[in-house]
Amino acid sequence: MSGQEIVSHFVVSSYSGGGSANECVEVAHTAGGGRAVRDSKDRAAGTQFHGPEAWGAFLGALKSGRLGR
């Protein structure tokens, strides 16, 4: 099993959509413990894969406010 194998359904972010927002992100778990991320409006554009360490750092930055909206 590859670490980039998608092992769950894609879920739309709770922060996506609504009103005039065009940011639609879907996230799924990967076999390696990371995440697969894609644009729900353009799935054919491809999927990005992030390892568990990178995903954890991203979430930490979000929670700490280091990434602006």
Side-chain angles (χ1 to χ4, degrees), residues 44-57:
T47 302
Q48 295 181 351
F49 292 89
H50 304 279
E53 295 83 15
W55 188 253

Side-chain angles (χ1 to χ4, degrees), residues 12-17 21 23 69:
V12 177
S13 168
S14 61
Y15 288 97
S16 293
E23 301 83 18
R69 285 187 166 206

Side-chain angles (χ1 to χ4, degrees), residues 2-30:
S2 165
Q4 290 188 340
E5 182 178 352
I6 297 169
V7 296
S8 72
H9 294 286
F10 277 92
V11 176
V12 177
S13 168
S14 61
Y15 288 97
S16 293
S20 62
N22 290 322
E23 301 83 18
C24 300
V25 176
E26 297 178 328
V27 179
H29 292 263
T30 62

